[in-house]
Structure formats: C-alpha cells, structure tokens
Amino acid sequence: MKKYQALLLTGTALTLAAGGGFVLTQAYQEPAPAVVQEIAQAPSPDREFMDYQCPPPEQLPQDVDIAPGSWYSPALEAGASFSPSNYLPAESISDDGIIYAASEAVESPEGASLLVGHVDLQPGVKSPKGGELTAWGNLHKLQACDLIYTKAEDGTLVISQVTSVIVAPQFDPELEAKAVANPSDTALAEQLREQRDIEARIFRATGKKTIDLMTCSGPSVEDVGGEFQFRYADNLIIETTPVSL
C-alpha cells in the first residue's frame, strides 16, 4: 500500500506535509517586504453534496476525443492536461495540472486518483492583473451526475459522474498538535475529525474507484511573499465515480 502524505494546496504550489514537517517548493522562500495586494476570492459551488447516487447515463457522447494525460467536462466544455508529480508548479501560467504521484493511477481499478490544478492565472499571462479562471477554476459549476472524461497516460479512457462536491478548509499541519494541547476544545476536535475524514477520502489505495479533481476555493488569506504567492482558505474537491459501460 502506498504511503500517503497530507497536502496543502496553495495559490502557487502544492506543498506536502508528513510527520509534522513540510516539504517546501520553491514558491516558499523567506517573505519579501510586505506586498500590498487585493483580497482575492476563488469561486465556490452553489451547493455541496456527498456520495450522490447517480442513475447510469442514458447515452454517452461519442465524439469526445481527448489526449492521454488529460480530463474533459462536456458540461463545462473545458478540460486540462495533467502529469505525475508531487508538486503543483509554482507558476500558474496555463491550464496544466498534475496527477498527485502518490495517488492511484487513472486506470487503477480501485482507490482514488487525485488530479490537481491552479484555480486562476497569475498576473502577466493574459492581463497585467491576472486572476482569469483556468479550466480547474470552473469546476465549481459542475452539478451532480455531470460527466468527466479522463484519459490515462497509457490511453485508458475512464468516464465518470460527479458524485460529490466538497469544500474543505486547507490542510492545517498543526491542527493535531493544537487539539492534543487543548483536549477540552471541542471545536478543535471537530476540525481535526473533519480534516481526517477528507484525507481518508482523497488518499486511498483501496476501496471504490474515484477520480477526484481539486483546486482552490474561498477567500485568499495571508500573503506569503512575492507578487502572486497567496493561498486560499479552502479546497474544492470534485469526486467522480466511474460509469459501468
């Protein structure tokens, strides 16, 4: 069984945490002098749901042709490529994302495949201000039972339906220590339980097969240095379940 590490999805990087420590990407350097920037807001879904029971689709589009290592949503008329990595690149300059290398392969018959991408583009890519939504940034528009086409690098095509739309707080690597230090704080205990539940859903090598797409959501929080290196408060997780063909 693979050993999974908790993750923190930021505005500019996917940062892994294990054993109470961080493996930092180059996006995390000593903060520069304070940079004044507007508070950003990443989109949130109209409603959340979990484990929706979808009826099998009556018919499937026959004209969807996507490249290996990519996903596509007919409902959004958008999609993106992904490649295996433990890190989301610091620069947000395209729709390109990753499949978290420690997760299960798209073609795997069980467990969770975790695809991750930036919610928006950094300044200078399309406009001086930046903030234009990527394909990942439109995931909040998906509804229950919408189809997602995902093609593995080996060419295996998996057609799945949206069965969960979840907004969860960013992973807090210090949450467990806080809860241990404050055993009477029921709010902390509940936050820790919820965080563990989310980790158990998206970091699985066994159990039902899902393809999970994740990006940022909610308001931006503290600036961590640089012109575009802020993180958002939440993660948006779109859990999809393969259709039996």
Side-chain angles (χ1 to χ4, degrees), residues 59 131 159:
Q59 62 181 15
I159 303 174

Side-chain angles (χ1 to χ4, degrees), residues 176-236:
E176 186 162 2
K178 294 174 187 175
V180 171
N182 300 275
S184 61
D185 191 325
T186 56
L188 276 177
E190 178 63 14
Q191 290 174 32
L192 179 59
R193 183 192 66 78
E194 292 177 351
Q195 179 165 288
R196 287 172 171 170
D197 286 347
I198 292 298
E199 289 184 80
R201 291 187 77 94
I202 64 176
F203 298 127
R204 291 183 298 104
T206 59
K208 71 173 184 177
K209 177 64 183 179
T210 63
I211 297 177
D212 303 338
L213 294 87
M214 188 168 74
T215 192
C216 290
S217 185
S220 67
V221 292
E222 63 191 282
D223 177 59
V224 294
E227 295 182 353
F228 194 63
Q229 294 175 10
F230 56 84
R231 63 186 178 91
Y232 292 97
D234 301 319
N235 286 334
L236 171 63

Side-chain angles (χ1 to χ4, degrees), residues 126-144:
K126 285 189 175 181
S127 69
K129 186 177 181 180
E132 294 84 4
L133 294 180
T134 65
W136 308 85
N138 285 292
L139 290 173
H140 68 284
K141 300 176 184 177
L142 289 172
Q143 303 295 316

